[in-house]
């Protein structure tokens, strides 16, 4: 969707409140290219025009990560990654989900308007049953209810996410409708906001880029690792010989060139006419990714060397949200007959 700039306020008028947006991201290791192209670029852009709230969802991560030290360090790494990629604590609020425990209370209340059948048919739940069959915990089933609570506790109306979150967002909307129907108009129906790259494929060229598949390009990682990851990318599988013409529209490397430089059409032309080979195109992409993220990589290292700075930003974020979360909880408890 396009985002229009609000008209400049008149000098005497009180500034109109900016519409609120919310997104959450799991602390599941280093941020990868899919996270950035699919979601984080929008987080950064939207913080200039909206009241933006971003959350590192450690409660959600507990459905798959069970090592306390690992979770703690990944939470900090994710915060450093987001800040390094451009989240500005002066312009947005960044916090850790478990630092605002009201989310889990609201989850319980929302779960009472959510039919179990909606949760059982959620695609991510079915995926998890397949990928972690020995650990089908109850948190996996109620995951989308917590996600809905995250969003609506701040009455956010827009949610920047990648396309893999479409089903979760639809479920959030259904939960909001169910709540509003039963208890009266309380929450806005949240809408997803996508980037021009809502699904980034991994280095295998087939599956969505994801830490759990192991097909990521770790943009804040070591340049040598990035180079290795990009050089391992699967390209157009029908281009066997160097002299065969390539098909940029089905080649993941060519697709990613769209986001790094303004000459992708020329690069595509080189592939189509076999003027360039896949290896050259990959080398160029690797270098461009390394260069593009060099300042973020530097900032990431600085932040990681100063954990107190990260923790301070996260604590301030959670504190700032306390009155908003509590106001919603007062309203919801009252509507539901708990007060
Ligand atoms: P996660 O790491 O699953 O919490 O994802 C964080 C954000 O990145 C979510 O908004 C996802 O939709 C988005 N995202 C993750 N992987 C991809 C991908 N391969 N392509 C596009 N967006 C993605
Ligand atoms: N489920 C999301 C993901 O895996 C993370 C998430 C949790 C989220 N709560 C949210 C995203 C609220 C948007 C809004 O990426």
């Amino acid at each position: 969707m396009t985002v229009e700039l609000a008209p400049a306020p008149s000098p005497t008028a009180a500034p109109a409140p900016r519409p609120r947006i919310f997104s959450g991201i799991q602390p599941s290791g280093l941020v990868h290219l899919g996270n950035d192209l699919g979601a984080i670029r929008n987080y950064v852009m939207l913080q200039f025009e909206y009241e933006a709230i971003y959350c590192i969802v450690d409660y959600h991560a507990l459905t798959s990560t069970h090592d306390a030290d690992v979770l703690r360090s990944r939470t900090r790494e994710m915060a450093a990654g987001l800040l390094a990629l451009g989240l500005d604590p002066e312009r947005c609020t960044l916090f850790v989900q478990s630092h605002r425990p009201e989310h889990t209370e609201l989850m319980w209340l929302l779960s009472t308007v959510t039919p179990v059948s909606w949760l059982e048919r959620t695609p991510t739940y079915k995926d998890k049953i397949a990928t972690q069959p020995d650990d089908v915990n109850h948190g996996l089933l109620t995951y989308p209810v917590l996600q809905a609570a995250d969003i609506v506790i701040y009455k956010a109306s827009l949610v920047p996410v990648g396309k893999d979150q479409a089903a979760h967002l639809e479920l959030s909307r259904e939960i909001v409708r169910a709540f509003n129907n039963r208890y009266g108009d309380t929450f806005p129906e949240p809408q997803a906001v996508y980037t021009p790259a809502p699904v980034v494929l991994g280095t295998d060229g087939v599956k969505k880029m994801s830490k759990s598949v192991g097909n990521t390009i770790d943009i804040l990682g070591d340049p040598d690792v990035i180079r290795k990851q990009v050089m391992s990318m699967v390209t157009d599988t029908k281009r066997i010989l160097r002299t065969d013409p390539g098909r940029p529209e089905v080649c993941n490397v060519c697709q990613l060139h769209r986001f790094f430089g303004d000459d992708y059409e020329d690069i595509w032309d080189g592939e189509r006419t076999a003027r360039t080979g896949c290896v050259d195109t990959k080398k160029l992409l690797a270098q461009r990714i390394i260069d593009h993220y060099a300042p973020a990589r530097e900032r990431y290292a600085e932040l990681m060397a100063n954990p107190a700075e990260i923790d301070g930003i996260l604590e301030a974020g959670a504190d700032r949200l306390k009155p908003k979360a509590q106001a919603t909880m007062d309203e919801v408890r009252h509507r539901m007959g708990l007060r």
Side-chain angles (χ1 to χ4, degrees), residues 200-223:
V200 176
L201 296 181
T203 49
D204 52 3
V206 181
K207 293 197 173 139
K208 182 194 80 157
M209 186 176 289
S210 152
K211 200 94 213 160
S212 58
V213 179
N215 61 359
T216 58
I217 297 171
D218 299 330
I219 49 181
L220 300 181
D222 188 273

Side-chain angles (χ1 to χ4, degrees), residues 22-26 57 60 97 143 147 150-151 159 161 165 168-169:
F22 181 96
S23 197
I25 189 162
Q26 290 207 45
V57 293
H60 278 108
Q97 189 183 32
Y143 184 110
Q147 179 158 346
D150 294 339
I151 301 166
V159 184
V161 279
Q165 294 300 308
H168 283 156
L169 254 287

Side-chain angles (χ1 to χ4, degrees), residues 91-213:
R91 293 195 174 271
C92 69
T93 302
L94 177 65
F95 76 113
V96 177
Q97 189 183 32
S98 65
H99 296 182
R100 285 268 49 92
E102 295 87 355
H103 289 222
T104 43
E105 184 189 351
L106 184 56
M107 184 204 99
W108 173 260
L109 301 179
L110 294 181
S111 77
T112 65
V113 301
T114 309
V116 178
S117 58
W118 291 1
L119 301 173
E120 283 171 336
R121 65 169 193 242
T122 308
T124 42
Y125 176 61
K126 292 186 189 160
D127 288 349
K128 286 288 182 176
I129 293 177
T131 54
Q132 52 181 71
D134 300 327
D135 184 19
V136 184
N137 58 77
H138 183 249
L140 288 176
L141 184 68
T142 46
Y143 184 110
V145 189
L146 180 57
Q147 179 158 346
D150 294 339
I151 301 166
V152 305
I153 199 163
Y154 305 111
K155 302 200 176 184
S157 44
L158 295 175
V159 184
V161 279
K163 198 80 190 208
D164 59 339
Q165 294 300 308
H168 283 156
L169 254 287
E170 192 44 48
L171 202 45
S172 290
R173 293 159 63 81
E174 284 176 313
I175 292 171
V176 162
R177 283 198 284 271
F179 187 95
N180 288 349
N181 265 337
R182 191 175 288 173
Y183 294 107
D185 234 3
T186 310
F187 301 119
E189 282 183 33
Q191 299 238 13
V193 186
Y194 298 119
T195 69
V199 183
V200 176
L201 296 181
T203 49
D204 52 3
V206 181
K207 293 197 173 139
K208 182 194 80 157
M209 186 176 289
S210 152
K211 200 94 213 160
S212 58
V213 179

Side-chain angles (χ1 to χ4, degrees), residues 49-81:
E49 287 159 48
Y50 291 88
E51 183 187 339
I53 304 173
Y54 300 121
C55 179
I56 300 169
V57 293
D58 54 349
Y59 281 145
H60 278 108
L62 284 172
T63 57
S64 298
T65 303
H66 305 312
D67 182 312
D69 290 333
V70 169
L71 184 60
R72 235 186 307 276
S73 57
R74 285 185 180 168
T75 299
R76 204 180 261 150
E77 281 161 20
M78 182 52 75

